[in-house]
C-alpha cells in the first residue's frame, strides 16, 4: 500500500511539474501571432470576408489558459457602404486550467472593449449578415449530433460551466434600414455582469446612448437587475429590474422626456408563461402600476392583468405635449384623472373589464373591448354618474374678439371640411352604449341620458337616444351616412312636456318663450362643416305650447299705443312687463335649404287670437314674419275707455330682426284703414237703418248691410 501511495504521489508530482513547465515554456516556444495568416485564410475560405488582426495575440497557460486579441476587424458584405462589418480594440478570454481536469469550465470575466458593429439591410431586404448565417449553419464534416443538455455524443457527462462575468465597454452599434429609410445608432454601450454560475443569480447592468433619425430623437438609457436562470426548469427571472431613459427631440414635450420602468419579470419556457409583477411605469405626469400575466406565449398568447394609473393632472400633461397652455372654460377642469382596470386579451383582441375612470368630480364605470385590433372594432358599455361637459370646452372669446369678422378663404374651408373625412367615418366599427346620470352640455341640464351607438362601413347610428330634461323628456334617432362623397345626416327627434322657459334661459341666456311644450323634428342634411350642414337642411317640424308667454313683446300694449296715436289722444301709461301671455301656441314648418317656412302659426290669449306666417333663415339667423292679432274682447284705454271699435278687427304686426334680438312693429297705417272701414260700416248701418228700418225692418237691413260692407 505504501508503495502504491508513493507511486501515485510521484505521478501527481510529474503532472504538476509538466503543467508548470508548459505554463512557462509554451508562451516562449509558441508565438500565436505566427498563425495569424492561417486564421485569416480560414475566415476568407468560409465567409469570403477579410479578417484583419492588427494587434498582437497574447497567449497564457497557467494558472489561466487564455487568449487576448488586440485590434481586429471583419470586412462588410459586398454591396454595403460601410467598409467594416465589425471591429474590436480588445477581446480577452481566460479559462482556469486545473478545473478542466475535472471537466469544469471556469472562465474569468470575458472582456470586450471598443466593439464596433455596423448592421444594415438594403432596399431588397438583404442584410449584411445573411452570408455569415449561411456559412455558420453548415456543420463541419463528422460533427456529432446533439443528444441532450446533459450528455455528450459518447455518453459522458457534459462540462460544467462557470463564467466570472461579462464586461463590455465602449461598444457602438449602427442600424441602417434602406427598406424603411431609417437609421439608428447605439453608442457608449456598456454591459457588466457578476459571476455566471449555473443555478446562481447574477447581477446585470447596462447603459447606452441612442440616436434615431426619423423622427429625430436622442437619449440615454440605463438598466439594472438580478437575473436568475434555472436550466433544468427553463425558467428565467429578473428581480429588481429598473430601466430609466432620458430623451431629447423636437417632437417631445418641451424638447425632452423621461421614462422610468421597474418590475419583476419571470419567463417559464416550459409552461410558456410570462409574468410581470410589481410593474411601475413613470412618464412625465403618468404613473402606472400593475401586474400582467401572459400564457401560451408560443402559440396563442393570452394576457390578463390589472393596471392602475395614479391621479395626475392631464391639463399639465397636454400643455407639455402641445407646448402651449391648455385652457378650459373652468380653470379647475381636467386637473384630476385616475384609472383602475382589469385587462385581458388574445391575439388581436383586448378586453378591459371592469374599468373605472375618475375625471375631476365624475366617475366612469363599465367595460370596453377591441374585438379586432387590426380593424379597431370597438365595443363598450359605460355608465357615467355626472359631468358638466361645458367645463371642458375652450374659454369663451371676448365679445370684442368674437364680433370681429374673419374672412374665410377657400383653403380654410377645405381644411375645415377635411377635419372629419369620409374615409375615417367608414373605418369606424363601433357597438356601444353610454348612460349618464346627470349631464350638462351646451348649457342644457339633462338626466338619465341613455344612448346606443353603432357604426359599420360608413353608416353611424345613434339610436335610441333618451334623456329627461326640464320636466319633460327627449327621444331621438340620429343617422350619419358616410358611404357617399359627402356625409349625410338625418335626425328624428321629439321633445315632450318640456318647460320652454328654463330650457331657453339655459341655452340662450334669455327665455323668449315660456310654457309647456312638445316639439317634433324630422330633418336631413349633408356636409362636414356647421355652415354646410345648416345651408343644406331640409325637412319638417311642428311645435305646440300651452300656458306660457312670449317675452319681449306686449301685443296688447302695442295695440293701445297704436290706437292712441290714430285717435290723437295721450298714450296710456307704460306697462311693466313686456310679454304676451297665451293659453295655446302652435304651428308647423317646412325647411328647404336652411330656410324654414311657417304658414299656420296660431296663438290664443284671453284677449287675442293671433295668426301668422313667415320665414326663419337659419344660416343668417334672421326672421321675416307677419302676424295678425284680433281682439276677442275689449281692451280698456285711457281713463278706462273701452276699445270696442277694435274688437274683431285684424291688427297687422311684422316681426323681423335676428333670433337673439327680434323686432316687433305694428302696421299703424293698415290699422287706421281698418278702423276707418269699420267706422264707415258702423255709420252706414246706423244712418241707413234709421231711415228705412222702420219700413223694412231693422234686423233685415243690418243683415243686408253686413253682407255688402266688408
Amino acid at each position: 500500500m505504501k508503495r502504491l501511495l508513493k507511486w501515485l504521489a510521484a505521478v501527481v508530482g510529474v503532472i504538476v511539474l509538466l503543467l508548470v513547465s508548459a505554463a512557462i515554456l509554451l508562451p516562449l516556444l509558441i508565438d500565436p501571432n505566427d498563425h495569424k495568416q492561417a486564421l485569416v485564410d480560414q475566415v476568407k475560405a468560409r465567409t469570403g470576408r477579410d479578417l484583419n488582426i492588427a494587434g498582437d495575440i497574447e497567449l497564457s497557460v497557467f494558472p489561466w489558459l487564455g487568449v487576448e486579441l488586440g485590434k481586429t476587424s471583419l470586412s462588410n458584405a459586398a454591396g454595403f457602404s460601410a467598409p467594416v462589418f465589425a471591429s474590436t480594440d480588445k477581446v480577452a478570454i481566460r479559462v482556469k486550467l486545473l478545473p478542466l481536469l475535472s471537466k469544469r469550465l471556469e472562465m474569468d470575466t470575458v472582456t470586450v472593449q471598443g466593439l464596433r458593429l455596423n448592421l444594415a439591410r438594403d432596399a431588397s431586404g438583404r442584410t449584411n449578415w445573411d452570408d455569415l448565417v449561411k456559412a455558420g449553419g453548415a456543420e463541419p464534416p463528422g460533427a456529432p449530433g446533439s443528444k441532450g443538455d446533459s450528455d455528450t455524443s459518447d455518453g459522458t457527462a457534459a462540462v460544467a460551466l462557470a463564467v466570472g462575468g461579462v464586461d463590455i465597454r465602449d461598444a457602438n452599434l449602427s442600424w441602417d434600414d434602406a427598406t424603411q429609410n431609417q437609421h439608428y445608432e447605439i453608442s457608449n454601450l456598456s454591459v457588466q455582469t457578476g459571476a455566471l454560475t449555473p443555478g446562481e443569480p447574477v447581477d446585470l447592468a447596462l447603459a447606452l446612448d441612442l440616436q434615431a433619425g426619423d423622427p429625430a430623437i436622442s437619449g440615454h438609457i440605463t438598466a439594472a437587475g438580478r437575473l436568475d436562470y434555472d436550466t433544468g426548469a427553463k425558467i428565467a427571472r429578473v428581480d429588481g429590474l429598473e430601466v430609466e431613459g432620458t430623451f431629447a427631440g423636437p417632437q417631445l414635450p418641451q424638447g425632452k422626456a423621461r421614462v422610468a420602468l421597474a418590475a419583476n419579470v419571470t419567463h417559464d419556457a416550459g409552461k410558456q408563461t410570462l409574468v410581470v409583477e410589481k410593474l411601475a411605469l413613470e412618464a412625465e405626469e403618468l404613473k402606472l402600476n400593475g401586474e400582467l400575466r401572459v400564457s401560451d406565449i408560443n402559440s396563442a398568447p393570452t394576457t390578463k392583468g390589472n393596471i392602475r394609473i395614479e391621479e395626475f393632472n392631464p391639463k399639465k400633461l397636454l400643455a407639455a405635449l402641445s407646448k402651449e397652455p391648455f385652457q378650459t372654460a373652468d380653470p379647475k377642469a381636467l386637473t384630476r384623472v385616475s384609472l383602475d382596470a382589469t385587462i385581458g386579451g388574445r391575439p388581436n383582441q383586448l378586453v378591459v373589464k371592469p374599468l373605472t375612470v375618475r375625471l375631476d368630480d365624475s366617475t366612469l364605470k363599465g367595460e370596453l373591448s377591441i374585438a379586432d385590433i387590426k380593424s379597431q372594432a370597438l365595443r363598450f358599455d359605460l355608465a357615467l354618474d355626472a359631468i358638466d361637459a361645458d367645463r371642458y370646452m375652450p374659454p369663451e372669446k371676448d365679445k370684442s374678439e368674437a364680433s370681429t369678422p374673419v374672412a374665410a378663404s377657400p383653403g380654410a374651408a377645405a381644411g375645415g371640411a377635411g377635419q372629419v373625412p369620409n374615409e375615417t367615418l367608414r373605418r369606424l366599427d363601433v357597438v356601444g352604449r353610454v348612460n349618464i346620470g346627470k349631464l350638462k352640455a351646451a348649457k342644457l341640464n339633462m338626466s338619465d341620458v341613455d344612448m346606443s351607438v353603432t357604426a359599420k362601413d360608413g353608416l353611424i347610428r345613434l339610436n335610441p337616444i333618451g334623456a329627461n330634461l326640464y320636466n319633460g323628456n327627449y327621444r331621438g334617432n340620429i343617422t350619419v351616412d358616410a358611404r357617399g362623397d359627402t356625409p349625410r345626416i338625418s335626425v328624428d327627434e321629439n321633445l315632450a312636456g318640456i318647460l320652454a322657459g328654463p330650457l331657453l334661459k339655459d341655452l340662450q341666456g334669455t327665455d323668449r318663450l315660456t310654457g309647456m311644450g312638445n316639439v317634433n323634428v324630422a330633418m336631413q342634411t349633408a356636409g362636414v362643416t356647421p355652415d354646410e350642414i345648416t345651408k343644406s337642411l331640409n325637412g319638417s317640424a311642428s311645435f305646440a305650447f300651452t300656458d306660457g308667454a312670449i317675452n319681449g313683446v306686449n301685443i296688447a300694449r302695442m295695440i293701445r299705443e297704436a290706437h292712441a296715436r290714430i285717435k290723437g289722444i295721450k298714450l296710456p301709461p307704460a306697462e311693466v312687463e313686456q310679454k304676451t301671455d297665451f293659453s295655446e301656441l302652435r304651428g308647423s314648418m317646412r325647411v328647404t335649404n336652411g330656410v324654414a317656412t311657417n304658414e299656420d302659426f296660431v296663438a290664443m290669449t284671453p284677449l287675442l287670437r293671433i295668426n301668422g306666417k313667415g320665414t326663419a333663415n337659419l344660416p343668417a339667423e334672421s326672421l321675416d314674419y307677419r302676424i295678425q292679432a284680433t281682439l276677442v274682447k275689449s281692451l280698456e284705454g285711457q281713463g278706462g275707455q273701452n276699445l270696442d271699435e277694435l274688437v274683431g278687427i285684424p291688427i297687422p304686426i311684422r316681426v323681423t330682426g335676428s333670433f337673439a334680438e327680434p323686432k316687433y312693429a305694428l302696421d299703424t297705417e293698415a290699422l287706421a284703414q281698418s278702423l276707418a272701414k269699420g267706422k264707415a260700416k258702423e255709420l252706414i248701418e246706423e244712418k241707413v237703418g234709421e231711415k228705412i228700418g222702420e219700413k223694412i225692418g231693422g234686423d233685415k237691413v243690418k243683415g243686408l248691410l253686413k253682407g255688402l260692407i266688408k
Side-chain angles (χ1 to χ4, degrees):
M1 180 62 70
K2 289 182 180 181
R3 293 180 63 185
L4 178 60
L5 292 176
K6 288 180 180 181
W7 184 80
L8 290 174
V11 171
V12 172
V14 171
I15 293 174
V16 172
L17 180 61
L18 290 173
L19 291 174
V20 173
S21 300
I24 297 172
L25 295 175
L26 284 177
L28 297 175
L29 299 176
I30 301 175
D31 185 358
N33 293 286
D34 294 339
H35 301 277
K36 282 184 179 181
Q37 191 58 47
L39 183 58
V40 169
D41 294 341
Q42 185 68 13
V43 171
K44 184 70 172 181
R46 291 183 64 89
T47 67
R49 307 277 190 105
D50 294 326
L51 178 66
N52 181 24
I53 306 176
D56 292 333
I57 302 176
E58 297 181 5
L59 181 67
S60 63
V61 179
F62 189 83
W64 294 91
L65 178 62
V67 61
E68 183 175 311
L69 192 63
K71 287 184 177 293
T72 305
S73 65
L74 180 65
S75 65
N76 209 346
F80 291 89
S81 59
V84 175
F85 171 73
S87 65
T88 61
D89 292 338
K90 175 184 175 181
V91 177
I93 302 175
R94 299 197 307 170
V95 180
K96 271 191 177 181
L97 185 60
L98 291 179
L100 289 175
L101 301 177
S102 302
K103 292 192 176 182
R104 296 199 317 275
L105 182 60
E106 296 183 12
M107 299 179 65
D108 193 9
T109 300
V110 177
T111 302
V112 179
Q113 292 183 4
L115 172 65
R116 304 290 186 272
L117 185 60
N118 298 314
L119 303 177
R121 175 189 292 152
D122 64 17
S124 67
R126 180 177 65 96
T127 66
N128 63 344
W129 66 86
D130 284 346
D131 57 329
L132 297 179
V133 173
K134 294 176 182 178
E139 294 184 350
S146 175
K147 289 189 177 181
D149 296 330
S150 60
D151 294 331
T152 62
S153 59
D154 59 2
T156 59
V159 175
L161 173 65
V163 181
V166 175
D167 185 4
I168 300 175
R169 296 180 185 273
D170 190 28
N172 293 271
L173 291 81
S174 68
W175 167 242
D176 278 297
D177 188 351
T179 63
Q180 303 293 328
N181 196 26
Q182 292 285 353
H183 177 77
Y184 301 96
E185 288 187 9
I186 293 176
S187 58
N188 301 319
L189 172 64
S190 65
V191 180
Q192 288 82 39
T193 73
L196 303 175
T197 304
E200 297 294 332
V202 58
D203 292 325
L204 172 67
L206 175 146
L208 60 89
D209 292 327
L210 173 68
Q211 186 80 35
D214 187 18
I217 189 171
S218 61
H220 178 70
I221 301 173
T222 61
R226 189 169 180 80
L227 174 64
D228 190 5
Y229 183 70
D230 187 331
T231 306
K234 297 183 180 180
I235 298 176
R237 180 177 177 85
V238 180
D239 287 320
L241 174 64
E242 294 182 355
V243 181
E244 182 172 345
T246 55
F247 303 93
Q251 77 281 5
L252 296 176
Q254 300 179 352
K256 60 182 180 179
R258 173 186 171 273
V259 179
L261 171 70
N264 293 334
V265 183
T266 303
H267 175 227
D268 189 329
K271 295 181 179 179
Q272 298 185 39
T273 60
L274 176 69
V275 179
V276 181
E277 301 171 297
K278 297 182 179 180
L279 173 65
L281 175 64
E282 293 186 25
E284 296 300 327
E285 291 292 313
L286 292 177
K287 292 184 179 180
L288 182 148
N289 301 288
E291 300 82 27
L292 295 173
R293 179 184 179 88
V294 184
S295 305
D296 299 326
I297 295 176
N298 299 335
S299 53
T302 302
T303 304
K304 292 183 179 179
N306 302 295
I307 58 172
R308 297 175 297 279
I309 297 179
E310 299 178 14
E311 185 176 294
F312 69 101
N313 187 331
K315 181 178 288 186
K316 185 176 179 181
L317 177 61
L318 290 171
L321 293 174
S322 65
K323 302 179 183 179
E324 295 180 359
F326 189 87
Q327 297 181 338
T328 54
D330 181 356
K332 295 182 179 179
L334 205 64
T335 57
R336 295 181 290 117
V337 170
S338 63
L339 178 146
D340 288 277
T342 299
I343 64 173
R346 297 181 179 275
N348 203 37
Q349 292 181 340
L350 175 66
V351 177
V352 183
K353 179 183 179 180
L355 168 68
T356 300
V357 179
R358 294 176 177 85
L359 169 62
D360 297 325
D361 301 320
S362 304
T363 300
L364 175 72
K365 294 185 176 182
E367 60 186 75
L368 62 85
S369 64
I370 302 177
D372 181 15
I373 294 177
K374 185 177 181 180
S375 64
Q376 300 180 6
L378 180 64
R379 308 291 182 262
F380 59 86
D381 189 351
L382 302 171
L384 183 63
D385 58 352
I387 191 169
D388 181 352
D390 293 338
R391 295 177 59 200
Y392 301 90
M393 300 299 292
E396 292 185 3
K397 296 181 180 179
D398 294 336
K399 291 184 179 179
S400 59
E401 181 181 357
S403 61
T404 303
V406 179
S409 66
Q419 292 178 357
V420 187
N422 272 10
E423 193 59 36
T424 300
L425 297 177
R426 293 187 190 114
R427 287 198 298 265
L428 291 177
D429 185 352
V430 178
V431 177
R433 179 184 177 188
V434 177
N435 181 271
I436 305 175
K438 293 182 179 180
L439 170 65
K440 183 180 179 183
K443 300 180 181 180
L444 297 179
N445 291 284
M446 294 166 271
S447 64
D448 296 327
V449 180
D450 192 58
M451 178 175 65
S452 294
V453 182
T454 60
K456 185 70 174 178
D457 299 329
L459 193 62
I460 301 100
R461 289 191 174 95
L462 283 69
N463 180 40
I465 311 173
N468 296 329
L469 69 167
Y470 301 95
N471 206 49
N473 59 73
Y474 164 85
R475 297 292 180 267
N477 178 5
I478 301 175
T479 301
V480 179
D481 188 346
R483 294 174 294 185
D485 294 335
T486 303
R488 304 191 64 82
I489 305 168
S490 63
V491 297
D492 187 354
E493 299 175 300
N494 168 263
L495 289 168
I498 61 164
L499 296 178
L503 186 152
L504 294 174
K505 184 73 173 178
D506 287 346
L507 181 64
Q508 300 177 342
T510 179
D511 51 350
R512 293 286 179 184
L513 180 71
T514 65
M516 180 176 291
N518 299 317
V519 179
N520 296 287
V521 176
M523 299 281 182
Q524 303 82 39
T525 186
V528 293
T529 66
D531 187 56
E532 290 176 351
I533 291 172
T534 305
K535 289 182 177 179
S536 60
L537 194 63
N538 291 274
S540 62
S542 63
F543 54 88
F545 295 88
T546 58
D547 301 326
I550 302 173
N551 292 320
V553 59
N554 189 327
I555 295 178
R557 168 70 181 180
M558 291 176 64
I559 294 173
R560 291 190 183 96
E561 292 176 348
H563 181 266
R565 283 194 296 270
I566 293 171
K567 294 296 185 180
I569 61 178
K570 185 178 179 180
L571 293 176
E575 299 180 18
V576 177
E577 288 188 299
Q578 287 295 313
K579 70 173 184 176
T580 300
D581 295 323
F582 62 80
S583 58
E584 181 181 0
L585 184 152
R586 67 179 185 272
S588 63
M589 64 181 68
R590 66 181 185 278
V591 180
T592 304
N593 296 329
V595 178
T597 301
N598 167 238
E599 301 283 352
D600 59 354
F601 179 84
V602 175
M604 297 183 181
T605 80
L607 301 174
L608 301 167
R609 294 294 181 268
I610 302 172
N611 299 88
K613 60 182 179 179
T615 61
N617 191 313
L618 302 180
E621 296 188 355
S622 62
L623 293 166
D624 186 5
Y625 238 82
R626 288 170 174 79
I627 63 176
Q628 287 187 339
T630 304
L631 288 173
V632 294
K633 62 173 65 175
S634 176
L635 287 171
E636 289 188 357
Q638 185 178 10
Q641 179 183 0
N642 291 331
L643 305 181
D644 293 333
E645 60 182 332
L646 297 179
V647 174
I649 297 178
I651 303 171
I653 300 173
R654 186 174 182 183
V655 184
T656 58
S658 66
F659 292 172
E661 297 292 337
K663 297 177 181 179
Y664 301 90
L666 190 148
D667 191 341
T668 307
E669 183 179 349
L671 177 59
Q673 292 177 356
S674 296
L675 286 173
K677 186 176 181 180
K679 187 64 176 177
K681 175 183 176 182
E682 181 181 343
L683 290 174
I684 291 173
E685 288 180 350
E686 290 181 358
K687 299 300 181 181
V688 175
E690 290 177 358
K691 294 191 180 268
I692 63 175
E694 297 177 355
K695 299 179 179 180
I696 303 177
D699 293 337
K700 293 182 179 180
V701 171
K702 290 180 180 179
L704 178 62
L705 291 176
K706 285 182 180 179
L708 295 174
I709 304 174
K710 294 184 180 179

